[in-house]
Amino acid sequence: MLDPGTEAPEFTLPDHVGREVSLSEFEGRRVVLYFYPRADTPGCTTEACGFRDAYDEFQERDVAILGVSDDPVDDLTAFARKHDLPFSLLSDEDGSVSAAYDSYGEKNVFGNTVEGVFRNTYLIGPDGEIERVYEGVSPEEHAEELLADIDELADAE
């Protein structure tokens, strides 16, 4: 995992509607950059819907949410539509951006070793530096955990 205080690696990826999204677009805002293994699986759906349900609270705090997986754009489009997700889901098919964030590699899935995305999250500050790191997160309550941490950081400013 990248350490807090580290400059967040820049990237540009296609989102679920085919638009190219770059981290630099969000300069001056906090960004929740969350990595998840597979669209429309139970844990990933729980996590995404948690962000969806708290979306207005993130908007009130001027925080962008970006979800990243190695799913193709078409799978992300279907996932976003099915669950009415109001934020960008980014397709990192070759895993290069996930790897730059130490969120891609070998893992054990149902007894098989596969390459894929790890469930990690980075909270990136308005200055582009990583503020908080969440490794192997639990999908339940993750959005609330982030909102509490964002409020704590804002109170300290």
Side-chain angles (χ1 to χ4, degrees):
M1 296 294 294
L2 302 177
D3 293 322
T6 303
E7 185 75 20
E10 176 58 32
F11 61 81
T12 300
L13 291 171
D15 75 359
H16 65 281
V17 295
R19 185 175 75 87
E20 294 290 313
V21 175
S22 298
L23 181 60
S24 59
E25 292 175 35
F26 302 94
E27 186 175 329
R29 296 177 67 191
R30 280 196 168 94
V31 175
V32 170
L33 182 65
Y34 83 97
F35 295 87
Y36 63 97
R38 186 71 49 221
D40 215 19
T41 57
C44 296
T45 299
T46 297
E47 186 174 24
C49 290
F51 285 123
R52 176 200 65 201
D53 295 346
Y55 186 72
D56 288 344
E57 294 179 67
F58 284 98
Q59 291 299 114
E60 288 168 9
R61 291 161 176 83
D62 194 30
V63 177
I65 301 169
L66 301 173
V68 180
S69 75
D70 58 359
D71 293 302
V73 170
D74 289 346
D75 289 359
L76 299 179
T77 302
F79 182 46
R81 283 187 184 147
K82 181 177 179 180
H83 298 287
D84 196 26
L85 303 178
F87 49 85
S88 290
L89 298 177
L90 307 178
S91 176
D92 181 26
E93 284 195 79
D94 67 3
S96 61
V97 171
S98 300
Y101 281 86
D102 292 336
S103 296
Y104 190 88
E106 284 189 358
K107 57 186 182 174
N108 192 329
V109 179
F110 303 114
N112 298 313
T113 301
V114 298
E115 293 252 324
V117 178
F118 306 137
R119 190 181 310 280
N120 296 330
T121 301
Y122 289 91
L123 179 59
I124 301 168
D127 60 358
E129 288 188 1
I130 295 168
E131 291 183 308
R132 298 277 168 96
V133 176
Y134 308 83
E135 186 173 8
V137 302
S138 175
E140 300 84 10
E141 311 300 324
H142 188 45
E144 290 78 10
E145 174 185 25
L146 279 154
L147 286 168
D149 286 353
I150 290 164
D151 288 345
E152 179 183 304
L153 289 164
D155 288 345
E157 292 175 346

